[in-house]
Amino acid sequence: MDKQSFARLQGLSANSYNAQKSLIKNVLAGRQVTCQHCGTKIRVVLPADQQTTGLFCDKGCTNIELDFVL
Ligand SMILES: [Zn+2]
């Protein structure tokens, strides 16, 4: 892989990381956030629910697993 495409890749993952971070922040702040893909509401599964912790939409296209340290 040449330097340029490597830099592009890094930029991409940084972008999606930031997008994920702000999504998580919004959902945890109690805002209603909808999935970019299917438009259903994104819900949070917390460790207390004893399931996989993370953010999920109804159809499963948004599926962000979180390691909660609370
Ligand atoms: Zn979705």
Side-chain angles (χ1 to χ4, degrees), residues 35-40 42 57-62:
C35 173
Q36 281 183 345
H37 303 285
C38 68
T40 61
I42 292 174
C57 76
D58 279 349
K59 300 202 170 158
C61 33
T62 294

Side-chain angles (χ1 to χ4, degrees), residues 43-57:
R43 64 203 153 76
V44 195
V45 177
L46 294 172
D49 297 331
Q50 297 188 331
Q51 297 173 29
T52 310
T53 303
L55 306 183
F56 307 94
C57 76

Side-chain angles (χ1 to χ4, degrees), residues 1-69:
M1 192 187 291
D2 63 61
K3 244 185 188 165
Q4 227 179 2
S5 47
F6 185 68
R8 205 161 41 222
L9 232 156
Q10 272 190 319
L12 267 182
S13 60
N15 275 344
S16 78
Y17 176 74
N18 284 334
Q20 244 182 33
K21 230 169 52 175
S22 69
L23 181 84
I24 293 165
K25 218 165 70 180
N26 282 331
V27 173
L28 291 183
R31 295 200 186 94
Q32 186 163 325
V33 182
T34 51
C35 173
Q36 281 183 345
H37 303 285
C38 68
T40 61
K41 198 184 163 206
I42 292 174
R43 64 203 153 76
V44 195
V45 177
L46 294 172
D49 297 331
Q50 297 188 331
Q51 297 173 29
T52 310
T53 303
L55 306 183
F56 307 94
C57 76
D58 279 349
K59 300 202 170 158
C61 33
T62 294
N63 186 331
I64 305 171
E65 287 187 21
L66 297 177
D67 277 322
F68 266 101
V69 185

